[in-house]
Amino acid sequence: MNFRAGLMLGLACSTIGVASGVFLASRPALLPPAWAEDSAHKDASNAASNSDSNNAETVRMLTLLGTVMDIAHSEYVTPLPNKKLIRNAIDGMISNLDPHSSYMDAQQLKDMQDEMSGQFGGLGLQVQGDAGHVRVVSPIDDTPAARAGIQSGDVITMVDNKSIADLTLDQAVRKMRGKPGTQIILTILRPKTGKVQTITLKREIIHVQIVRSALYGRVGYIRLSEFDDDAEKELHKAYVKLVQSVAKTPGKTLSGLILDLRSDPGGKLDQAIAVSRDFVKDGEIVSIRGRHPEGNQHWDGVGKDITHGLPIIVLTNAGSASASEIVSGALKDHHRGMIMGERTFGKGSVQTIIPIADQGAIRLTTARYYTPSGRSIQGLGITPDIPVLASRDDDTLFTFHEADLAHTITNTDGKLPKEAPRTDLPALAKTVERLPPAKWPSFDPTKPETDFQLQQALHLLNAMAGGADAAHEASLLAHPQVPAQAHEATPTAKNDAAKPGKEHHD
């Protein structure tokens, strides 16, 4: 990966955060000689200019920084090395800009590279620092964290029965990492219930399986858990397998596709563009606009649609962030797919990794991104075309979005296009029930019949496809039935090929 040009969209995750570390400078004014001489020259020649005033203020503030450093160095209760003080200053300078900017030392940079490569040690959590807390953005599929039932929005308060309130995000993450096979105790606060629970987990080498797929009758299902370097390649491979699998059934061809981006925290910009290009043939996919107009860019479709026009439903929730929102926004704006589920996270910013010699790198927010309609989703997210909640619980007060983070960057000035309501949705979309029945079973990721959002997507696509069961499928949209039992799904059979809840995994 070319780090200078490496644009990232994912949330600050388990290896990225604020930390204490290394930088060295001296007390007097903290100005390199060349900088000071240049400033003096400008002062002499442009005494009345705004530039001169700004330079003078900069000198005053840097002198203040040096004074504060001197006082802390000489008066703090225990001796402090200058290196620690200056690293703390660097951390505060960058991390207080917004939730996704940070300074990384060489080890943190390596950790980030390992995580983006899709294999690392730990628990399988994507976490975000939030006003001194460590909050879970999403657990990664089939990891210790996911199997333990940790949920998006949970706050980690203690590790091995010791508070992490005074730790930086990076320090807290390092406590959670460890030798594979060793145990760790996490204390979790769940805001929507107010309950605190203690969970014992065993660390593992995390092998991230970013794509999972299944065939439900004639409807293909692809789950994308994050946008790493292989996201589009693996998604394309999964789709080809679905086409091959359905060809062996009585239905022969796919009637629709579900793209599941729930709790997908994002990743690489180029992969978000590549995945979007698999479905959107023409027109703009996304654009980025930063401080310097010459750096603005946009990307278009390349004339292909691997599904050849199949109806697509994209499943989203509050954990769908950044790269997930680029894909959702592209399919929505081009009327290429229907967004079903819940409002997305609302991270509309782009980070650039800028190496600093052998001293690590800065992960810096350098641009906002915009959907094809020209809308910034920063702090707003993508609103579903068909709202469907995962449960009957009212989680509104406890759902975690970008706008809830400290220091989040603002949206643009309001002159940009507003999100227009869809006028192209099928009539059946208006009949979809947004809440599961009162006795709907608790969600179990191993039992798709308990996944209400998935079942509603299947009913809608099956009803749209027509056929003998279309009327029954349409009735289930408005009047969902509690599954008879939450049992393991079985492979697709000839006599139930169109029924949701029966699946064949690839």
Short mmCIF file of all heavy atoms in Angstrom, two decimals, residues 383-408:
data_model
loop_
_atom_site.label_atom_id
_atom_site.label_comp_id
_atom_site.label_asym_id
_atom_site.label_seq_id
_atom_site.Cartn_x
_atom_site.Cartn_y
_atom_site.Cartn_z
N THR A 383 -30.32 7.38 4.93
CA THR A 383 -31.64 7.00 5.44
C THR A 383 -32.19 5.84 4.62
O THR A 383 -32.17 5.90 3.38
CB THR A 383 -32.61 8.18 5.37
OG1 THR A 383 -32.06 9.28 6.09
CG2 THR A 383 -33.96 7.82 5.95
N PRO A 384 -32.68 4.78 5.25
CA PRO A 384 -33.20 3.65 4.46
C PRO A 384 -34.44 4.03 3.66
O PRO A 384 -35.26 4.83 4.11
CB PRO A 384 -33.53 2.59 5.52
CG PRO A 384 -33.72 3.36 6.79
CD PRO A 384 -32.78 4.53 6.70
N ASP A 385 -34.55 3.46 2.48
CA ASP A 385 -35.77 3.63 1.68
C ASP A 385 -36.93 2.89 2.32
O ASP A 385 -38.08 3.32 2.24
CB ASP A 385 -35.55 3.08 0.26
CG ASP A 385 -34.41 3.75 -0.45
OD1 ASP A 385 -34.37 4.99 -0.48
OD2 ASP A 385 -33.53 3.03 -0.98
N ILE A 386 -36.61 1.76 2.97
CA ILE A 386 -37.62 0.92 3.62
C ILE A 386 -37.17 0.69 5.05
O ILE A 386 -36.34 -0.19 5.31
CB ILE A 386 -37.79 -0.42 2.87
CG1 ILE A 386 -38.03 -0.17 1.38
CG2 ILE A 386 -38.93 -1.23 3.47
CD1 ILE A 386 -38.01 -1.44 0.54
N PRO A 387 -37.66 1.47 6.01
CA PRO A 387 -37.22 1.30 7.40
C PRO A 387 -37.72 -0.04 7.97
O PRO A 387 -38.92 -0.32 7.92
CB PRO A 387 -37.86 2.48 8.14
CG PRO A 387 -38.28 3.44 7.07
CD PRO A 387 -38.58 2.60 5.87
N VAL A 388 -36.80 -0.83 8.47
CA VAL A 388 -37.14 -2.09 9.14
C VAL A 388 -36.21 -2.22 10.34
O VAL A 388 -34.99 -2.18 10.18
CB VAL A 388 -36.98 -3.31 8.22
CG1 VAL A 388 -37.26 -4.61 8.99
CG2 VAL A 388 -37.91 -3.21 7.01
N LEU A 389 -36.76 -2.35 11.53
CA LEU A 389 -35.96 -2.46 12.74
C LEU A 389 -35.64 -3.91 13.06
O LEU A 389 -36.41 -4.82 12.73
CB LEU A 389 -36.69 -1.82 13.92
CG LEU A 389 -37.07 -0.34 13.76
CD1 LEU A 389 -37.68 0.20 15.05
CD2 LEU A 389 -35.86 0.49 13.36
N ALA A 390 -34.52 -4.11 13.72
CA ALA A 390 -34.09 -5.47 14.05
C ALA A 390 -34.92 -6.07 15.18
O ALA A 390 -35.05 -7.29 15.28
CB ALA A 390 -32.61 -5.47 14.43
N SER A 391 -35.45 -5.22 16.05
CA SER A 391 -36.25 -5.71 17.17
C SER A 391 -37.30 -4.67 17.52
O SER A 391 -37.32 -3.56 16.97
CB SER A 391 -35.37 -6.00 18.39
OG SER A 391 -34.94 -4.78 18.99
N ARG A 392 -38.18 -5.01 18.45
CA ARG A 392 -39.23 -4.09 18.87
C ARG A 392 -38.73 -3.06 19.89
O ARG A 392 -39.43 -2.12 20.23
CB ARG A 392 -40.41 -4.86 19.46
CG ARG A 392 -41.10 -5.78 18.47
CD ARG A 392 -42.31 -6.45 19.10
NE ARG A 392 -43.36 -5.50 19.40
CZ ARG A 392 -44.32 -5.11 18.54
NH1 ARG A 392 -44.33 -5.62 17.30
NH2 ARG A 392 -45.24 -4.26 18.90
N ASP A 393 -37.52 -3.25 20.39
CA ASP A 393 -36.97 -2.32 21.37
C ASP A 393 -36.77 -0.95 20.75
O ASP A 393 -36.28 -0.84 19.62
CB ASP A 393 -35.63 -2.82 21.91
CG ASP A 393 -35.76 -4.14 22.64
OD1 ASP A 393 -36.86 -4.42 23.16
OD2 ASP A 393 -34.76 -4.89 22.69
N ASP A 394 -37.13 0.09 21.48
CA ASP A 394 -36.89 1.45 21.02
C ASP A 394 -35.47 1.85 21.44
O ASP A 394 -35.23 2.23 22.59
CB ASP A 394 -37.89 2.42 21.63
CG ASP A 394 -37.73 3.84 21.10
OD1 ASP A 394 -36.85 4.04 20.23
OD2 ASP A 394 -38.45 4.74 21.57
N ASP A 395 -34.53 1.72 20.49
CA ASP A 395 -33.13 1.99 20.79
C ASP A 395 -32.70 3.40 20.38
O ASP A 395 -31.51 3.71 20.34
CB ASP A 395 -32.23 0.98 20.05
CG ASP A 395 -32.40 -0.43 20.61
OD1 ASP A 395 -32.91 -0.55 21.74
OD2 ASP A 395 -32.04 -1.39 19.90
N THR A 396 -33.67 4.26 20.07
CA THR A 396 -33.34 5.57 19.54
C THR A 396 -32.37 6.34 20.44
O THR A 396 -31.41 6.95 19.96
CB THR A 396 -34.63 6.41 19.36
OG1 THR A 396 -35.56 5.68 18.57
CG2 THR A 396 -34.31 7.73 18.68
N LEU A 397 -32.61 6.29 21.74
CA LEU A 397 -31.78 7.05 22.67
C LEU A 397 -30.41 6.43 22.88
O LEU A 397 -29.51 7.07 23.45
CB LEU A 397 -32.49 7.20 24.02
CG LEU A 397 -33.80 8.00 24.01
CD1 LEU A 397 -34.44 7.98 25.40
CD2 LEU A 397 -33.55 9.44 23.56
N PHE A 398 -30.23 5.19 22.44
CA PHE A 398 -29.00 4.48 22.74
C PHE A 398 -28.21 4.10 21.49
O PHE A 398 -27.20 3.44 21.56
CB PHE A 398 -29.31 3.21 23.55
CG PHE A 398 -30.18 3.48 24.74
CD1 PHE A 398 -31.51 3.13 24.75
CD2 PHE A 398 -29.66 4.13 25.85
CE1 PHE A 398 -32.31 3.38 25.85
CE2 PHE A 398 -30.45 4.39 26.96
CZ PHE A 398 -31.78 4.02 26.96
N THR A 399 -28.72 4.50 20.32
CA THR A 399 -28.02 4.19 19.08
C THR A 399 -26.89 5.18 18.88
O THR A 399 -27.06 6.39 19.07
CB THR A 399 -28.99 4.24 17.89
OG1 THR A 399 -30.09 3.36 18.14
CG2 THR A 399 -28.29 3.80 16.61
N PHE A 400 -25.75 4.68 18.48
CA PHE A 400 -24.50 5.44 18.43
C PHE A 400 -24.18 5.82 16.99
O PHE A 400 -24.11 4.95 16.11
CB PHE A 400 -23.41 4.54 19.03
CG PHE A 400 -22.02 5.08 18.97
CD1 PHE A 400 -21.70 6.29 19.54
CD2 PHE A 400 -21.00 4.35 18.38
CE1 PHE A 400 -20.41 6.78 19.51
CE2 PHE A 400 -19.71 4.81 18.35
CZ PHE A 400 -19.41 6.03 18.91
N HIS A 401 -24.05 7.13 16.71
CA HIS A 401 -23.75 7.63 15.37
C HIS A 401 -22.56 8.58 15.42
O HIS A 401 -22.13 9.03 16.48
CB HIS A 401 -24.97 8.35 14.77
CG HIS A 401 -26.11 7.45 14.42
ND1 HIS A 401 -27.14 7.19 15.28
CD2 HIS A 401 -26.37 6.73 13.30
CE1 HIS A 401 -28.01 6.36 14.70
NE2 HIS A 401 -27.56 6.07 13.49
N GLU A 402 -22.08 8.94 14.25
CA GLU A 402 -20.96 9.87 14.12
C GLU A 402 -21.25 11.19 14.84
O GLU A 402 -20.38 11.76 15.50
CB GLU A 402 -20.68 10.14 12.64
CG GLU A 402 -19.71 11.27 12.34
CD GLU A 402 -18.25 10.88 12.45
OE1 GLU A 402 -17.97 9.67 12.59
OE2 GLU A 402 -17.39 11.77 12.40
N ALA A 403 -22.46 11.69 14.71
CA ALA A 403 -22.80 12.98 15.31
C ALA A 403 -22.71 12.95 16.82
O ALA A 403 -22.66 14.01 17.46
CB ALA A 403 -24.21 13.40 14.88
N ASP A 404 -22.68 11.77 17.43
CA ASP A 404 -22.60 11.66 18.88
C ASP A 404 -21.16 11.72 19.39
O ASP A 404 -20.95 11.80 20.61
CB ASP A 404 -23.24 10.34 19.34
CG ASP A 404 -24.70 10.23 18.93
OD1 ASP A 404 -25.41 11.24 19.07
OD2 ASP A 404 -25.11 9.16 18.47
N LEU A 405 -20.19 11.64 18.51
CA LEU A 405 -18.78 11.65 18.93
C LEU A 405 -18.32 13.05 19.31
O LEU A 405 -18.84 14.05 18.79
CB LEU A 405 -17.90 11.13 17.80
CG LEU A 405 -18.08 9.66 17.39
CD1 LEU A 405 -17.27 9.37 16.13
CD2 LEU A 405 -17.64 8.73 18.51
N ALA A 406 -17.34 13.10 20.20
CA ALA A 406 -16.74 14.39 20.55
C ALA A 406 -15.85 14.87 19.41
O ALA A 406 -15.21 14.08 18.72
CB ALA A 406 -15.91 14.24 21.83
N HIS A 407 -15.82 16.17 19.18
CA HIS A 407 -14.96 16.82 18.18
C HIS A 407 -15.29 16.42 16.74
O HIS A 407 -14.45 16.60 15.85
CB HIS A 407 -13.47 16.52 18.44
CG HIS A 407 -13.03 16.73 19.84
ND1 HIS A 407 -13.11 17.95 20.48
CD2 HIS A 407 -12.50 15.87 20.75
CE1 HIS A 407 -12.65 17.85 21.71
NE2 HIS A 407 -12.27 16.60 21.91
N THR A 408 -16.46 15.87 16.49
CA THR A 408 -16.76 15.47 15.12
C THR A 408 -16.81 16.69 14.20
O THR A 408 -17.22 17.78 14.62
CB THR A 408 -18.10 14.70 15.05
OG1 THR A 408 -18.27 14.17 13.73
CG2 THR A 408 -19.27 15.60 15.40
#
